[in-house]
Amino acid sequence: MSPEELDIVFKQAVESINQHKEPFPADFLLRLYAYYKRATGDHDSPGSNKPLINAFKTNALFQTRGLTPNEAKQLYVDAVNHYFLYRK
């Protein structure tokens, strides 16, 4: 898949997550959070008012530290597709 095609598929995956009305499992959201931050090059620190949430987000980011933006986009798309296919 070309980088341009990956960008389109990534944006569609993000949109499908944003439009979904049912709650997601917390571990799934943490993975998506980390993949999204890596994919978009967002280097801001987690901004929750709750230290425990910041710790979980920081850990998720740490686990994705070696990913390129395109790898993170592909993993995000794969995770979204897997979730909607299997609901887990």
Side-chain angles (χ1 to χ4, degrees):
M1 179 179 316
S2 73
E4 294 79 20
E5 292 170 324
L6 182 58
D7 283 341
I8 292 167
V9 173
F10 173 70
K11 288 175 185 173
Q12 289 171 340
V14 170
E15 185 66 25
S16 70
I17 291 297
N18 288 337
Q19 290 181 356
H20 190 68
K21 301 298 180 205
E22 297 172 22
F24 293 106
D27 63 325
F28 176 70
L29 287 176
L30 283 169
R31 276 190 293 137
L32 291 186
Y33 168 81
Y35 294 153
Y36 184 85
K37 294 274 276 187
R38 295 290 179 212
T40 60
D42 184 348
H43 300 292
D44 291 340
S45 297
S48 175
N49 293 331
K50 300 183 187 247
L52 184 60
I53 292 174
N54 282 337
F56 279 113
K57 287 181 173 181
T58 300
N59 183 52
L61 287 169
F62 180 76
Q63 292 178 28
T64 62
R65 69 189 174 281
L67 296 178
T68 67
N70 282 343
E71 290 170 331
K73 286 177 187 177
Q74 186 62 59
L75 288 169
Y76 187 101
V77 169
D78 292 346
V80 169
N81 289 341
H82 185 270
Y83 179 83
F84 285 125
L85 185 61
Y86 300 108
R87 298 288 181 190
K88 56 182 177 177

